[in-house]
Amino acid sequence: MKRRTAAVLTTVLAVAAASTAAFFALPASAETATFAVQSSWNNGYQAQVTVNNNTSSQITTWKVELTLPAGTTITQSWNAAQAASGNTYTFTPVNWNATIAAGASTSFGFIVNGTGRPTSCLVNGQACTGTTNPSPSPSTSVSTSTPPTTGTPVQVNGQLRVCGTKLCNEHGQAVQLKGMSTHGIQWFPNCYTDASLDVLANEWSADLFRISMYVQEQGYETDPAGFTTRVNNLVEEATERGMYALIDFHILTPGDPAFNLERAKTFFAQVSARHANKKNVIYEIANEPNGVSWAQIKNYADQVIPVIRANDPDGVVIVGTRGWSSLGVSEGSNSSEIVNNPVSASNVMYAFHYYAASHKDNYRAEVERAAASLPLFVTEFGTVTYTGDGAVDVASSNAWFDLLDRLKIGYANWTYSDASEGSAAFRPGTCNAGSFAGTGSLTESGALLRNRIRA
Ligand code: IDC
């Protein structure tokens, strides 16, 4: 694990270096900081600063001071505490990234209003880059590489964003992500191991790994810190393998998300701060609201989304919908209530869930209708009935796959687990045995999904 993390970090630093502006000189054995523009638009840009500890001992705090030209301001930042005096912005650590081991680094990011790049950079009171090397000429260009066609899903697609009613990759092309959902992570820890995730990434070629963190039912509410750590660790595992990680705040009973509003704010503040600099994290803020109006769900979303955006301004957020994320259909409504009153944020998608043996033509018709106006993501579906059990409905499952493929709607299947129920991809006992590879441990549902996802 350590070795892989180091490799990932090296890659990140190499990428950062490619569009790095150098500022001043500094002896080689000290702290340095590099500035990189990550994306830009008409009158603004997003940037990242990486603080490197080049000394041979651990440091326990750091300070970066950036001066911007008049008329250019920093509007928000993440993974650092920000203070401003005139045009100079001072960044200091948040609690978890104060300490940097010898030779290690940490990063923070910010959004700038205006196009001016920093004219001065100090780290711990000294210039950000070293004098011993000639200063490279400052570069303010943004990478405009042509889209790669090979590599992991994240290498190929990068940072996602909602484009109209579709999900697009960082090159502006519509993408359909296909993957698997965990079962409740409180119940199936042995199903989410290095071995199982290697199989999901390398053998199944999954784009997406949904991490279902129940809030009730022995979940988050019983141990917030412990479950936050477990989710963070699984996000890191997905990241190491180049998969997108979908963080599912799995509310189910009670169905009113307001019941868990404060928990959601706490949880999403922490995970979005931790993963702000990653390109592969998607936030699903309410698995299946039920027994509540769309207005109540929207009210919850309008309070949780800003918490995420404060840390991770470009992360895609998916909002659950009325009637167990049925776009309202299972409670006698439909998607018009969302179209007429969308959440107060951009870069947002709406969740639709189905279980193929229970939800058929009338649900498919509503998805087709809704997809003309709303960005949709099937963050959970089953091939069986809505109980999670029973026989695979192959005909209905295939009708759903055809529809989702045609509309380029991404999906995650319930579940990548060995639960004793028809929706599980593996037969009971698989996870304890660690026998995830090949087809020998698959259920009928698992075999169907493995074929679909690999295709
Ligand atoms: C089911 C599990 C089952 C568990 C139950 C209650 O498969 O083992 O006992 O939850 O926690 C959903 C929910 C999802 C359900 C699934 C199948 O998002 O939590 O999982 N389902 O019933 N919505 C529709 C179906």
Side-chain angles (χ1 to χ4, degrees):
M1 205 53 70
K2 276 247 150 40
R3 190 187 54 76
R4 283 212 194 95
T5 306
V8 169
L9 192 57
T10 309
T11 313
V12 169
L13 292 177
V15 169
S19 58
T20 289
F23 296 95
F24 299 101
L26 196 73
S29 58
E31 291 85 59
T32 61
T34 55
F35 164 86
V37 174
Q38 298 192 302
S39 62
S40 61
W41 47 92
N42 269 354
N43 191 38
Y45 62 91
Q46 178 180 326
Q48 175 170 292
V49 168
T50 301
V51 182
N52 309 296
N53 175 11
N54 304 318
T55 72
S56 53
S57 48
Q58 168 179 293
I59 60 173
T60 55
T61 192
W62 47 268
K63 179 171 77 167
V64 171
E65 293 159 90
L66 293 178
T67 303
L68 288 164
T72 294
T73 55
I74 294 180
T75 56
Q76 54 175 309
S77 57
W78 50 95
N79 292 349
Q82 177 192 323
S85 167
N87 287 341
T88 298
Y89 295 83
T90 301
F91 297 91
T92 48
V94 284
N95 57 3
W96 55 267
N97 65 2
T99 297
I100 309 179
S105 61
T106 192
S107 298
F108 62 90
F110 51 90
I111 298 283
V112 176
N113 185 23
T115 54
R117 299 326 197 223
T119 54
S120 154
C121 175
L122 299 177
V123 57
N124 296 341
Q126 301 193 68
C128 285
T129 57
T131 39
T132 46
N133 302 315
S135 281
S137 55
S139 152
T140 53
S141 64
V142 182
S143 154
T144 51
S145 55
T146 47
T149 51
T150 57
T152 66
V154 178
Q155 283 169 341
V156 170
N157 295 299
Q159 177 64 52
L160 305 171
R161 63 172 58 94
V162 177
C163 49
T165 59
K166 299 280 187 271
L167 182 63
C168 280
N169 64 20
E170 71 180 24
H171 311 289
Q173 301 161 325
V175 287
Q176 181 193 24
L177 302 182
K178 302 179 186 179
M180 295 296 292
S181 176
T182 67
H183 203 293
I185 57 173
Q186 77 274 40
W187 292 317
F188 294 89
N190 295 343
C191 293
Y192 313 109
T193 60
D194 276 358
S196 78
L197 294 173
D198 283 347
V199 168
L200 184 63
N202 303 330
E203 219 185 80
W204 291 44
S205 304
D207 305 309
L208 178 69
F209 179 55
R210 181 188 192 231
I211 301 160
S212 288
M213 185 196 71
Y214 276 73
V215 186
Q216 278 70 47
E217 301 188 55
Q218 291 84 51
Y220 178 81
E221 66 177 4
T222 65
D223 179 12
F227 277 94
T228 303
T229 299
R230 283 200 229 178
V231 169
N232 283 336
N233 290 343
L234 289 172
V235 171
E236 300 295 348
E237 298 294 339
T239 306
E240 288 179 17
R241 293 166 177 81
M243 291 188 287
Y244 288 90
L246 176 55
I247 300 179
D248 164 30
F249 193 69
H250 202 85
I251 61 148
L252 183 60
T253 310
D256 182 353
F259 182 81
N260 288 306
L261 175 63
E262 290 310 316
R263 292 183 194 95
K265 286 184 180 173
T266 302
F267 172 73
F268 282 109
Q270 293 181 344
V271 295
S272 62
R274 165 73 181 259
H275 305 296
N277 290 336
K278 296 187 173 71
K279 292 183 170 186
N280 65 317
V281 177
I282 306 172
Y283 304 93
E284 183 182 2
I285 61 175
N287 168 51
E288 290 190 353
N290 56 88
V292 289
S293 67
W294 167 247
Q296 287 169 280
I297 301 166
K298 170 180 152 61
N299 181 45
Y300 165 88
D302 286 343
Q303 295 178 75
V304 175
I305 294 170
V307 172
I308 296 172
R309 291 285 153 80
N311 293 325
D312 189 355
D314 60 0
V316 172
V317 174
I318 305 178
V319 182
T321 60
R322 185 172 166 196
W324 296 274
S325 288
S326 68
L327 295 169
V329 178
S330 291
E331 290 182 354
S333 186
N334 61 55
S335 59
S336 297
E337 61 187 14
I338 306 170
V339 176
N340 294 333
N341 187 24
V343 299
S344 308
S346 58
N347 213 22
V348 161
M349 308 187 85
Y350 296 92
F352 178 77
H353 291 179
Y354 69 85
Y355 281 74
S358 306
H359 308 122
K360 300 188 178 178
D361 285 343
N362 60 321
Y363 287 86
R364 285 189 279 267
E366 182 60 11
V367 166
E368 175 121 41
R369 192 178 79 95
S373 320
L374 297 173
L376 301 180
F377 204 110
V378 173
T379 54
E380 182 185 308
F381 75 96
T383 59
V384 298
T385 72
Y386 68 81
T387 63
D389 206 358
V392 172
D393 188 327
V394 176
S396 177
S397 292
N398 285 334
W400 275 113
F401 286 132
D402 291 348
L403 178 69
L404 300 181
D405 289 354
R406 182 158 55 79
L407 299 174
K408 267 197 180 292
I409 296 176
Y411 58 75
N413 174 252
W414 187 263
T415 56
Y416 197 69
S417 83
D418 66 353
S420 303
E421 51 191 22
S423 55
F426 295 105
R427 289 206 295 264
T430 301
C431 297
N432 281 343
S435 52
F436 304 99
T439 56
S441 300
L442 297 175
T443 62
E444 183 183 358
S445 188
L448 183 62
L449 264 299
R450 183 177 183 272
N451 283 337
R452 269 282 164 176
I453 291 173
R454 277 160 67 95

